[in-house]
Amino acid sequence: MRRGVSCFLGLMLLIDTAQAQEDETARRFGTLPGVSQASLSPDGQKLAFIAPGKGQANDLFIVGIGEDAAPLRILRASGDPETLQWCGWASDARLICQVAGRQEYGGQVYGYTTLVGVDAVGGNTRVLGKQRGSDAT
């Protein structure tokens, strides 16, 4: 009888541990990476990085390399339907970013990419080009 109780308690402990691991995996499965892409400015004084925002959104931040520098969000993609794919420096004052998304056209859903330019201090956002269709990357 004691052996049966010991086996039962051991089995319950094993089940609780497995359940905790499944809960942790499920929690982590839906999370976005902390930083998905980073780029150093040509003068080496600023870092641009893409980080997750609220929900499926992601944001472009700029931070100075010096001490006590705080990141400044300069661009946001909602995540539905568009996301920031990458950003790189065109100059010390301007970045180019690729935005990807999806759009329905004629009953079909197509992926697209768009290049946008944005000032390193935020603002002056301009669409630079679009690539739309089923083969857009």
Side-chain angles (χ1 to χ4, degrees), residues 14 70 103 111 124:
L14 185 63
Q103 180 177 1
N124 194 24

Side-chain angles (χ1 to χ4, degrees), residues 5 9-10 13 17 30 32-33 43-44 50-51 53-54 61 64 73 86 91 95 113 130-131 134:
V5 170
L9 291 176
L13 181 61
T17 302
L32 297 171
D43 67 3
I50 298 173
K54 192 173 188 176
F61 290 91
R73 185 183 74 207
W86 56 262
S91 70
L95 293 103
T113 59
K130 294 182 181 182
Q131 181 178 0
S134 60

Side-chain angles (χ1 to χ4, degrees), residues 63-134:
V63 63
I65 300 300
E67 290 184 33
D68 299 327
L72 171 68
R73 185 183 74 207
I74 64 166
L75 194 61
R76 166 170 278 171
S78 71
D80 186 22
E82 74 280 346
T83 58
L84 290 168
Q85 298 296 300
W86 56 262
C87 293
W89 295 87
S91 70
D92 290 327
R94 195 134 173 92
L95 293 103
I96 297 173
C97 299
Q98 183 183 54
V99 178
R102 60 193 179 282
Q103 180 177 1
E104 185 176 341
Y105 181 77
Q108 300 276 341
V109 177
Y110 294 97
Y112 67 87
T113 59
T114 301
L115 292 177
V116 297
V118 63
D119 287 348
V121 294
N124 194 24
T125 305
R126 301 272 190 255
V127 174
L128 303 176
K130 294 182 181 182
Q131 181 178 0
R132 299 201 183 228
S134 60

